Amino acid sequence: MNINSNFEKMVPNYLFADVARKTNEFAKAHPEKEIIRLGIGDVTLPLSDVVVDAMKKGCEDLRFKESFKGYPEYEGYDFVRQAVSEYYKTFGVKIDHGEIFISDGAKSDCGNIGDICSANNTVLIPDPVYPVYVDANIMSGRNIIYAPSSKENDFLAMPDRNIKADIIYICSPNNPTGAAYNFAQLKAWVDYALENNAVILYDAAYEAFIQDDDLPRSIFAIDGARECAIELCSLSKTAGFTGVRCGYTVIPKELSRGGHRLHDLWYRRQATKFNGVSWAVQCGAAAVFSEEGQKQCLENIHYYRKNAKIISDMLDELDIYYTGGKNSPYIWFECLDDMDSWKFFDYLLENAGVVGTPGAGFGQCGKNYFRMTSFNSHEKTLEAVQRIKNLLER
Ligand code: PLP
C-alpha cells in the first residue's frame, strides 16, 4: 500500500520527551537536589467519591443478567446527555440533550471531527495552541493558516477580514496561554464565521476554571453561534477523568453546510467508527453533573485555582507579563532578558530546580514564553515559587 503521505509533512514534536530527558539528566547529575515539576499537564487529585461510587455501582450492574449492559448508544445514554444539558442551564445556555454526543474525551473528537469536513478546507488555528489541532489537520492534508497571538493582543487573536478560513479552532480558556475570550471577542469570531460560511470548532476543555462573569463558559452563550459552531468539551480537567476518559461534543441541530446537518454527519461518523463509552464510565460522568458531584469536583478545581494564584501573585510581584492563572490552570509568562523558552527552561532547572514547559513547543509565537500549571501540590507550588523568587528578584 501507499502510506498517507501527509504524515511526511508532520513536524516531529519532541516537547515533552525533551523536557523529560533534560529533567532526568539534571536529576542524575544532581541527586541531592529536589526537582519540582510545574509543567504537569495532567491532573493530580483523585476522582471525587460520588463519581467513584457511581462507577462502582455501574460495574455491579454488569454482574447481573437483569442489569447487564452491552454496546452503548453511539451518542451516549440519554440520562448522561440530559445531565450535560442541565449543566449547561446552570450557566444560562440552552442545549437540547439530543444535540450532545458523549465521547471518550475531547482529544479524539478534536481530531476526528475532521472526518465530516472536506480536505479542501482552509483551517485557521491560533498560535500558540494545543498541538492536536495542527497535527490532525496536517494528517488530513488540509491547508493551515495561523492566527498569531502575542502580548499585543493579550494572546487572544482576533479575526482578520482579509483572511478567508473555512474551519476555525478556538480554545478558551486556552492551552497553553490560559487566556480566555470575553463575550464581545467571541461575538466577533462568530460574526466572522457567519460571514465566511465557516465553522468554529470551540474547545471548552477548561470552561470549569472560569470564575469571571464577563467570560462565556460556552460559545453557545453567543448569538449566532448555533449556526456556525461545534463545541468540544472534556471531563478530564473538570472532574479528573484524564485516565477514565469521557467528554462530550455539542452540535446544534440547525448547523448545516452544503445542504447537510452537521449533527447527522457526525452521528453517521460515530456510528461507523466509534462504539461508545462504557456503561460504568457514563455512570461516573452523570455523577459529575449531580449536585454533590459538582460540589466535590469544584473542591478540586478550587485547589488548583489556589496554586494558580500563588504562581500569578509571584509574577505580579516580579512585574513579569503573563496571561492565564485566574480562569485557567495554566499560567503563561514572558521569559526574562529576551531568553528563548528553551534557554529559560535550562536556566530555571539549573538554578531553581523547577521544571516548566517551553512555549516554543506550542507554536512560533511561544518561543519567548513559558507555561506553568497549577496541577502540582500546594506545598510544592509554594516551594517552587519561593525558589523562583529568590532567583529572579534583583
Ligand atoms: N483540549 C485541550 C485544549 C486540552 O488541553 C486537552 C488536554 O490536555 C484536551 C482537549 C484533551 O482532553 P481529553 O483528555 O478529554 O481527551
Side-chain angles (χ1 to χ4, degrees):
M1 68 148 215
N2 297 313
I3 63 149
N4 174 353
S5 57
N6 293 318
F7 276 73
E8 288 170 349
K9 297 181 203 146
M10 289 174 71
V11 182
N13 189 339
Y14 299 124
L15 176 66
F16 291 103
D18 283 348
V19 166
R21 181 183 48 78
K22 279 175 174 264
T23 309
N24 292 340
E25 279 170 11
F26 181 82
K28 231 182 191 169
H30 305 278
E32 75 292 353
K33 291 202 177 142
E34 191 214 2
I35 296 172
I36 303 180
R37 289 170 170 80
L38 290 190
I40 305 175
D42 197 350
V43 290
T44 48
L45 294 174
L47 292 178
S48 305
D49 286 342
V50 67
V51 170
V52 175
D53 290 344
M55 285 170 58
K56 275 165 84 177
K57 159 89 177 50
C59 282
E60 276 302 309
D61 291 341
L62 304 180
R63 191 195 291 277
F64 306 103
K65 197 164 189 285
E66 299 70 37
S67 48
F68 173 76
K69 301 279 185 282
Y71 286 123
E73 320 272 358
Y74 302 123
E75 69 278 42
Y77 287 106
D78 253 4
F79 71 97
V80 190
R81 302 165 87 203
Q82 291 281 6
V84 176
S85 167
E86 290 299 315
Y87 174 66
Y88 271 95
K89 275 192 205 155
T90 63
F91 41 85
V93 173
K94 203 168 164 290
I95 302 287
D96 185 75
H97 77 283
E99 299 173 320
I100 295 159
F101 292 82
I102 305 301
S103 71
D104 62 353
K107 188 180 197 175
S108 335
D109 282 10
C110 284
N112 294 334
I113 196 78
D115 278 5
I116 67 169
C117 316
S118 150
N120 294 330
N121 290 302
T122 293
V123 189
L124 182 62
I125 302 182
D127 174 3
V129 84
Y130 179 51
V132 172
Y133 314 148
V134 175
D135 285 353
N137 281 287
I138 295 177
M139 276 181 206
S140 306
R142 288 193 193 91
N143 175 36
I144 299 176
I145 46 179
Y146 292 94
S149 53
S150 62
K151 200 172 180 174
E152 281 63 50
N153 56 22
D154 263 331
F155 283 93
L156 291 167
M158 293 305 292
D160 175 349
R161 252 84 207 166
N162 298 316
I163 287 173
K164 163 99 182 73
D166 308 301
I167 299 170
I168 302 149
Y169 279 85
I170 296 179
C171 178
S172 182
N174 181 280
N175 177 13
T177 68
Y181 286 105
N182 65 26
F183 283 87
Q185 290 166 325
L186 260 195
K187 174 74 177 130
W189 276 112
V190 166
D191 290 345
Y192 169 86
L194 291 171
E195 281 161 28
N196 287 285
N197 207 26
V199 170
I200 296 174
L201 301 176
Y202 188 78
D203 187 339
Y206 299 96
E207 60 78 21
F209 284 82
I210 291 178
Q211 305 180 67
D212 292 346
D213 291 339
D214 65 338
L215 301 178
R217 299 274 296 271
S218 160
I219 191 148
F220 299 118
I222 309 297
D223 275 349
R226 291 184 60 86
E227 283 82 37
C228 68
I230 290 175
E231 181 155 297
L232 308 117
C233 207
S234 165
L235 294 187
S236 285
K237 308 297 158 80
T238 310
F241 272 50
T242 50
V244 175
R245 311 302 308 141
C246 195
Y248 47 92
T249 288
V250 181
I251 310 189
K253 294 259 172 80
E254 52 266 63
L255 177 58
S256 294
R257 290 293 180 274
H260 293 277
R261 291 201 318 182
L262 300 195
H263 180 279
D264 300 347
L265 299 187
W266 183 241
Y267 179 84
R268 185 81 166 88
R269 188 271 170 210
Q270 292 294 77
T272 304
K273 294 194 185 175
F274 181 62
N275 253 341
V277 177
S278 74
W279 168 249
V281 167
Q282 290 201 54
C283 290
V288 168
F289 298 108
S290 65
E291 204 180 325
E292 186 54 28
Q294 283 295 292
K295 204 174 126 237
Q296 292 185 10
C297 290
L298 263 179
E299 278 169 23
N300 287 1
I301 289 176
H302 281 315
Y303 183 91
Y304 298 135
R305 277 180 183 153
K306 255 170 61 188
N307 289 344
K309 182 154 181 359
I310 291 169
I311 299 170
S312 52
D313 282 351
M314 164 193 78
L315 295 168
D316 282 332
E317 264 179 59
L318 295 171
D319 202 21
I320 294 174
Y321 172 81
Y322 68 94
T323 52
K326 183 152 187 223
N327 299 292
S328 157
Y330 299 119
I331 302 98
W332 175 256
F333 62 93
E334 196 169 24
C335 302
L336 261 68
D337 301 330
D338 285 332
M339 274 190 238
D340 76 42
S341 61
W342 276 110
K343 201 164 173 203
F344 189 71
F345 173 91
D346 292 336
Y347 177 69
L348 218 53
L349 178 60
E350 280 158 24
N351 297 289
V354 174
V355 175
T357 312
F362 300 99
Q364 270 293 316
C365 295
K367 66 181 194 312
N368 294 108
Y369 282 82
F370 207 68
R371 190 191 77 171
M372 283 189 173
T373 80
S374 59
F375 293 124
N376 208 322
S377 71
H378 196 55
E379 296 68 30
K380 291 263 173 69
T381 306
L382 277 170
E383 164 72 18
V385 157
Q386 195 50 54
R387 291 192 203 169
I388 298 171
K389 265 203 243 177
N390 293 346
L391 176 68
L392 300 184
E393 250 163 6
R394 315 237 163 118

